[in-house]
Amino acid sequence: MWDAIVLGLGGMGSAAAAHIAARGKKVLGLEQFTPAHDRGSSHGSSRIIRQAYFEDPAYVPLLLRAYELWHDLETQSDEPLYLRTGGLMVGPTDSVLVQGSLRSAREHGLDHELLSAADIARRFPATAPRDGEVAVFEKPAGILFPEACVRAHLKRATADGAELRFGTPVDAWRADEGSVEVTLVSGERCRAEHLVVCAGAWLPRLAADMELPLLVERNVMHWFQPTSHPELFGPDRLPVYILDRGQRFMLYGFPDVAKAGIKAAFHHSDQFTTPQELNRTISTAEIDKLRAALVQWLPDGGGKHLAAAVCMYANTPDLHFVIGRHPRHHNVIVAGGFSGHGFKFCAVAGELLAELAFDGTSSKPIYLFSPQRFKKERQPT
Ligand SMILES: Cc1cc2nc3c(=O)[nH]c(=O)nc-3n(C[C@H](O)[C@H](O)[C@H](O)COP(=O)(O)OP(=O)(O)OC[C@H]3O[C@@H](n4cnc5c(N)ncnc54)[C@H](O)[C@@H]3O)c2cc1C
């Protein structure tokens, strides 16, 4: 009998296992693939972390805590987890991105600058802002290295006594008043007082009875070599950026870290799928489309296409997360629906999940993430 079973040891589950184990609890972590694998949502070398959160100011207290926790974790890790580059949120003054970032920055007193197009071009010479564009620039924004973050959480969990099993797919689980029973595909059964489900794109199957309206979306990350002036694309000269030019999908990207090329991607794709049916083949048309958008922002950025990788978003209808208790099982906590912007929160989500399981409540505001909100929407008025 374990104190807690964590189902899925990707970004969120590795953090949950670490935080629960840090409380001295007996934790069993179950993962179908290998540590820090590339089959889910937490791979691809880099993730943006930022504070002036355009999505909603309610995320900011969680982000400030996430920064503290990533820093703590990094001090115990053998490899770097975070690189500060600064971050540019670029678009017309009235764009969702600029307005939302400013709102979060102002409501929470975050240090930021509002740059004109001329300021952007002068300070970051690889970029080509359009007339009338502005940018919210925040210095603490930067890059998290997702595989290293997952490894660091797994290492912390193990150091604090967690048992982590890889290559161990879970078939099903059921809960009663006093405990939860998890059945592995191998047929083995494991029991615990609490279950924390962090199954990413597989959550629709593993929490099917919650009827969460999750949609799995295919997203492709691309790496390009600059055509010239490579010195302008390093992390000392080019911040991470998000670009809102009124198109269907925002473009975001990273400087060239460790001469691996500059990485860029569209935020969302409308290509809905399942983990089983995910198309991992990347077409020339997709590469051309991304390059065409990229060179309008980084004119020398669209050289040789070096690599690409496919990843999955698990989207909710409002693109806010799902973190909370199962509506019928008080001993089951679910975390999912991170909608393509969850990685930066893994550290704080792990802490929240441990609190929800063992304290019964969370120390941070998480009302945006209630699993019940979708049910309410469906009720007649
Ligand atoms: C291309 C891309 C770019 C992104 N960029 C950013 C960004 O810049 N900044 C940011 O903050 N976020 C970003 N995100 C979002 C972020 O990466 C995700 O929100 C986050 O990684 C989700 O973590 P997770 O733990 O929910 O999923 P995962 O890391 O996929 O973990 C789920 C785990 O559950 C395991 N599992 C599932 N079913 C079973 C089973 N039956 N038995 C055992 N194990 C199981 C899976 O194998 C997997 O390891 C991006 C996502 C993508 C795809």
Side-chain angles (χ1 to χ4, degrees):
M1 181 82 169
W2 302 86
D3 293 326
I5 293 176
V6 178
L7 197 176
L9 294 173
M12 301 293 163
S14 59
H19 281 276
I20 297 171
R23 291 175 165 238
K25 302 291 181 188
K26 272 182 67 189
V27 185
L28 174 64
L30 300 170
E31 167 56 50
Q32 59 185 341
F33 300 130
T34 51
H37 62 85
D38 63 358
R39 313 278 293 276
S41 306
S42 299
H43 59 281
S45 318
S46 47
R47 289 290 184 270
I48 293 179
I49 181 165
R50 56 196 159 88
Q51 295 182 353
Y53 220 59
F54 76 87
E55 290 86 342
D56 198 295
Y59 286 89
V60 176
L62 301 177
L63 287 161
L64 298 178
R65 179 65 180 145
Y67 268 78
E68 289 173 3
L69 289 169
W70 287 123
H71 175 72
D72 290 352
L73 187 68
E74 191 173 42
T75 59
Q76 300 157 14
S77 165
D78 325 321
E79 40 187 351
L81 304 185
Y82 162 72
L83 178 66
R84 186 173 161 125
T85 60
L88 283 171
M89 309 299 131
V90 187
T93 312
D94 61 356
S95 59
V96 169
L97 178 64
V98 170
Q99 282 303 313
S101 304
L102 280 176
R103 182 173 165 220
S104 275
R106 288 171 181 160
E107 272 187 30
H108 290 276
L110 301 174
D111 193 15
H112 69 285
E113 294 172 69
L114 186 59
L115 305 182
S116 67
D119 295 332
I120 303 168
R122 184 174 37 79
R123 284 175 57 174
F124 309 109
T127 68
R130 291 179 180 163
D131 287 347
E133 278 182 338
V134 296
V136 179
F137 178 67
E138 55 163 294
K139 284 192 187 133
I143 304 173
L144 287 170
F145 303 112
E147 290 87 350
C149 292
V150 172
R151 282 192 292 269
H153 272 136
L154 295 175
K155 193 175 155 208
R156 280 300 330 145
T158 309
D160 284 332
E163 180 175 331
L164 307 180
R165 296 194 203 160
F166 295 91
T168 308
V170 167
D171 183 35
W173 59 265
R174 63 186 183 85
D176 57 34
E177 259 309 291
S179 68
V180 182
E181 184 180 84
V182 173
T183 307
L184 307 182
V185 166
S186 65
E188 187 187 341
R189 289 175 185 186
C190 312
R191 289 189 82 78
E193 261 178 55
H194 301 273
L195 174 65
V196 180
V197 185
C198 299
W202 291 262
L203 189 62
R205 190 180 83 71
L206 285 155
D209 65 333
M210 287 176 77
E211 296 178 2
L212 294 168
L214 296 180
L215 282 181
V216 175
E217 189 182 30
R218 173 182 181 271
N219 281 277
V220 184
M221 306 167 266
H222 298 265
W223 285 259
F224 291 93
Q225 199 169 48
T227 47
S228 59
H229 302 298
E231 72 285 358
L232 301 182
F233 292 85
D236 53 336
R237 305 293 299 277
L238 179 67
V240 296
Y241 59 85
I242 305 180
L243 209 60
D244 182 355
R245 287 187 158 165
Q247 273 129 1
R248 176 95 181 92
F249 308 118
M250 294 182 193
L251 178 81
Y252 68 92
F254 302 80
D256 187 356
V257 180
K259 305 270 181 287
I262 51 169
K263 178 179 152 186
F266 290 116
H267 185 38
H268 296 289
S269 69
D270 281 350
Q271 295 176 30
F272 298 104
T273 182
T274 63
Q276 294 72 31
E277 290 159 354
L278 177 67
N279 174 11
R280 291 187 182 272
T281 307
I282 291 129
S283 69
T284 312
E286 285 178 293
I287 299 170
D288 292 346
K289 193 172 163 198
L290 197 284
R291 180 189 275 116
L294 181 65
V295 296
Q296 290 183 37
W297 163 242
L298 301 175
D300 293 337
K304 185 176 173 198
H305 186 256
L306 298 172
V310 174
C311 186
M312 290 179 285
Y313 286 5
N315 297 331
T316 62
D318 58 11
L319 303 178
H320 295 309
F321 309 157
V322 173
I323 300 179
R325 200 172 301 284
H326 190 290
R328 283 176 300 286
H329 305 299
H330 68 94
N331 42 4
V332 178
I333 311 289
V334 172
F338 288 98
S339 305
H341 62 113
F343 196 86
K344 60 184 85 58
F345 295 90
C346 288
V348 67
E351 184 175 65
L352 291 172
L353 292 167
E355 289 173 358
L356 287 172
F358 290 98
D359 304 338
T361 180
S362 85
S363 61
K364 300 278 174 308
I366 55 167
Y367 59 88
L368 269 186
F369 312 145
S370 164
Q372 310 293 354
R373 69 189 188 274
F374 308 113
K375 291 269 187 262
K376 278 188 211 139
E377 275 166 21
R378 282 189 225 126
Q379 278 168 9
T381 49

